[in-house]
Structures are given as C-alpha cells and as structure tokens.
Amino acid sequence: MSKFSLKHMTEEEIKHYEQPLAFYLQHEKIETLKNICKYYQIKGYSNKKKDEQIDLIVSRVFKDFTAADRMFENMSVEDYNVLNHLLIADTFSTEAEREMPAQNFMFVKEGRVFIPADIKEYLRRYVVEKSQSQQQSDEVKLLVSAVNLYGYFSLAHYRLLAERFTGSQQTEEQLAEELQGIATVKDGFVLNPLIEAAHFSGTGIESKRQYYIPDTWEQFQHYFAFEYYEDSPEIQALLRFLDSYIIDAEQQKDVQDTIIVMMKMIDNPVNLTAILQDMIDQNVLRALDMNQASVLMLNAYQTVRNWHLGGYKMIEMKQPVPRVINKRVEKKSKKKKKKNISRIKK
C-alpha cells in the first residue's frame, strides 16, 4: 500500500493526485469501513478482512447508481458544494477546513479534500443520466444549466429565465433567498463554483452585459452537462490535432473536456496556449507545434459559448445584428443605407 503523504508534493501534484476509491479506503480504519458498509446496506462484511471489505464496498458502489442516489439523498449542502466543485474541475483535490463523512467518498488529508478518480467518473455519469430523466425538478435543471452556460449571471437574468422556461413569477429577492446554501450569490450574481467569489465583483457588469438565451427549454437543458458544447468544424479540427499528442489514450476525454471548459472560462484569447503548455508540463500532452496549435485554438475558441460574453460565441459578437424594420422604413432605407449596429457597445 502506497503511503498517503503530501509532504514532498508540489501544489500541482496535489491538485492532480489521481487515485481510485480502493486506495483511499486502504487508509481508513476497519471501523470506518464497517460504517460505510452499514450505510450502503452491504451484507456479509462483519467477518471479512480489510481487503475483503474494500472489495465489497467497491463492487457494490459501482454496480449501479443506487449508491449515488443514497449519497446525494443525505449529503449536506456544504459537502455538496465541495463535491460539485471537484466534479466540474479538472483536478482531484481542493482545500478543506473540516472533516467529511466517509460515506460521501471525499477524503480529507492535511488540509485538502480528495475525490477518487473512479468516484468522480461514476458521479459525473450519474449527473448526466439524472439530468436526462424526470427525477430532477425543472428548477434544478434551470439553475445548473444556467451556471454551466453563463459561468456567472445576474439575479435579474435568472428571474427572466425562470419566468420564460418554468413559468415562475418569483422576484429577484425570492430567488436569492431560495438559492441560499445551494449556490454562490454575490453582488446580485449567481456564480459557477469554479469562480472564486472573493475575486469577483459584479459592480457595473449588468448595465453592459447581454445574455444568449437558447430558443427552447430542450436546448437550454443540454448545458446541465458541464462539458456540453455545440459542435463545430473548428472544434473538431482542434481535437483531431491534439489526439495524436495525448500521451495516455485513456485520458482523451479528460483532455477534450478540459480544453472545452477552459475555453468557456477564458476571457482573453492570448491565454489560450497556456492551457496546452500546462498539459505539456504535466506530461498529459507531448510537445507540439505551438504556432499551429494557436491558430486551431483561436478558431475553436471563437465557436465556444463564453462565460465572459454572457453565453455568446465570439464569432456571434463580431456579426452585425439584423434589424427588424417595417415596410415604410424599408422603402426609405433604399435611399439611404445605415450602418449595422454591433451587439457590443464599444
């Protein structure tokens, strides 16, 4: 059994410390394993050795989504927020100031909370499946989809979405109160968990911000999956290019998801190549032609819905807004053409 010690690890190594559930269970006491078995109603554990108990837990958890149902059913809001952060991040640990119940399969060590790699994948699949079922309320789907599409959005916009897609007539104040404990709200904005609230200021944003709104509720719900994106030839060209540079083929999906998510978050195309350089430094990608990669990254970036553009694509913001005009104005416009107005006020 490898020793679970962070003493000689860098910050980046700790963040990307990728281990399976069995590894973490090996570092727990027998009594803790028994409590986990009781919690998940696993039978036949009492006279088993430690390794056998671990095998029982692992085989039961990944058998189906029953364990995930039980986990989410009783998880505290505080623990859920930590879990949500780890599920959508490309890392496997974050800072933690307190202990967590072992049955939630998040393990605290030396001021950090870790999620096992197989648990992370298991719960991601669970969330996607649940989002496609009727078991999630429309209110939950609305909140999660909005958080993933926009990154951050005002309560005023959230009220508009709630009215349009769920028929809600709640005020901004009522929505803010409803979100207490389940979402981060600051300066009248709801924030994605990856956005550090301490560094966020909503001052002056709303007067300049426009939001993309999908045409239908069905289209809006696609964003319940954090990694969802609208496909484009530019995105496919980038992903095909990167495929041959991925060191471990099993990490292909993680690489692709990370690229898409980072492009959603980034506010300056100049920083695009830093994403690839980080992956090269972490031995996820082999060294590549950065000039060629930069062109492909920029082309793809312009077709991804960006948090900083209110869910719009950069390519959409560069296009003029078609003006709606009546017949009388249309006749006059033939005599004198007016310039198109950009979506963004310069």
Side-chain angles (χ1 to χ4, degrees):
M1 178 177 68
S2 303
K3 188 178 180 181
F4 190 10
S5 174
L6 313 181
K7 186 176 180 181
H8 301 294
M9 296 171 65
T10 66
E11 179 70 16
E12 282 304 308
E13 287 172 336
I14 293 172
K15 285 182 179 179
H16 294 87
Y17 193 63
E18 187 175 353
Q19 296 289 346
L21 174 60
F23 170 85
Y24 291 99
L25 293 177
Q26 283 283 359
H27 292 83
E28 296 296 324
K29 296 177 180 178
I30 287 284
E31 193 60 35
T32 300
L33 299 182
K34 289 182 177 179
N35 289 336
I36 292 174
C37 288
K38 290 177 184 176
Y39 184 81
Y40 288 107
Q41 299 178 341
I42 300 171
K43 298 179 180 179
Y45 65 86
S46 56
N47 296 320
K48 293 287 194 297
K49 295 179 181 178
K50 186 172 187 178
D51 286 344
E52 293 173 326
Q53 287 182 345
I54 291 173
D55 288 342
L56 279 175
I57 293 170
V58 171
S59 60
R60 178 65 193 90
V61 167
F62 298 119
K63 181 180 179 181
D64 51 38
F65 285 135
T66 305
D69 282 332
R70 177 114 171 100
M71 191 186 306
F72 281 108
E73 181 182 344
N74 298 296
M75 187 178 294
S76 70
V77 170
E78 293 79 12
D79 288 352
Y80 174 79
N81 286 336
V82 175
L83 175 64
N84 189 41
H85 174 86
L86 288 169
L87 288 182
I88 65 179
D90 65 340
T91 56
F92 293 90
S93 80
T94 188
E95 293 181 3
E97 300 296 332
R98 56 187 172 79
E99 291 300 317
M100 294 186 179
Q103 67 264 19
N104 289 341
F105 298 132
M106 291 186 288
F107 301 89
V108 179
K109 179 73 172 178
E110 298 178 25
R112 309 282 306 200
V113 58
F114 294 82
I115 185 170
D118 45 7
I119 285 290
K120 183 171 184 173
E121 178 59 28
Y122 166 71
L123 292 179
R124 277 179 164 179
R125 286 188 285 109
Y126 171 83
V127 169
V128 171
E129 180 169 298
K130 286 296 182 181
S131 73
Q132 296 168 349
S133 74
Q134 295 303 312
Q135 295 181 36
Q136 291 281 8
S137 69
D138 285 348
E139 289 75 16
V140 170
K141 291 179 180 178
L142 181 75
L143 174 61
V144 176
S145 298
V147 163
N148 291 337
L149 171 59
Y150 301 114
Y152 56 95
F153 51 94
S154 69
L155 286 167
H157 181 62
Y158 191 47
R159 183 189 60 76
L160 185 152
L161 292 174
E163 182 177 343
R164 175 169 177 170
F165 289 128
T166 69
S168 169
Q169 297 297 317
Q170 290 179 290
T171 65
E172 291 175 36
E173 291 74 18
Q174 289 171 326
L175 288 170
E177 185 175 347
E178 190 177 80
L179 292 172
Q180 288 300 317
I182 60 173
T184 303
V185 181
K186 183 182 180 186
D187 296 343
F189 281 78
V190 184
L191 310 183
N192 186 288
L194 287 181
I195 295 177
E196 295 185 30
H199 298 154
F200 178 85
S201 174
T203 306
I205 293 179
E206 190 60 12
S207 61
K208 306 172 185 176
R209 193 165 174 78
Q210 297 184 61
Y211 294 92
Y212 160 78
I213 302 179
D215 292 330
T216 67
W217 175 231
E218 288 69 30
Q219 291 173 347
F220 192 83
Q221 288 179 77
H222 286 157
Y223 293 93
F224 192 93
F226 187 62
E227 301 88 354
Y228 173 76
Y229 62 92
E230 295 170 30
D231 206 356
S232 72
E234 293 83 359
I235 290 174
Q236 287 306 315
L238 171 64
L239 298 182
R240 282 196 302 270
F241 170 78
L242 293 177
D243 275 352
S244 59
Y245 294 97
I246 298 174
I247 293 174
D248 183 352
E250 292 185 359
Q251 289 189 305
Q252 181 189 45
K253 186 176 185 306
D254 285 340
V255 170
Q256 293 181 351
D257 288 347
T258 299
I259 292 291
I260 296 299
V261 169
M262 292 304 295
M263 286 197 292
K264 287 181 181 181
M265 294 171 59
I266 208 164
D267 63 342
N268 189 340
V270 174
N271 298 324
L272 287 170
T273 53
I275 303 170
L276 297 180
Q277 190 58 56
D278 284 346
M279 289 187 170
I280 293 171
D281 294 342
Q282 294 163 15
N283 293 319
V284 174
L285 294 178
R286 298 183 183 89
L288 45 77
D289 183 339
M290 201 59 81
N291 290 329
Q292 184 180 0
S294 297
V295 173
L296 292 170
M297 284 283 279
L298 180 58
N299 290 340
Y301 175 76
Q302 295 189 77
T303 70
V304 172
R305 298 204 174 278
N306 190 284
W307 288 2
H308 299 273
L309 299 180
Y312 279 104
K313 303 175 184 178
M314 179 178 282
I315 197 169
E316 291 173 339
M317 303 301 271
K318 291 181 177 179
Q319 295 170 352
V321 178
R323 290 179 295 136
V324 179
I325 50 180
N326 60 37
K327 291 183 179 180
R328 187 170 59 183
V329 175
E330 189 173 19
K331 289 179 180 178
K332 290 183 179 179
S333 66
K334 291 179 181 179
K335 298 178 182 178
K336 185 178 180 180
K337 291 184 178 180
K338 294 184 179 180
K339 294 181 180 179
N340 287 322
I341 302 172
S342 171
R343 286 187 185 276
I344 309 177
K345 295 180 180 178
K346 301 295 183 183

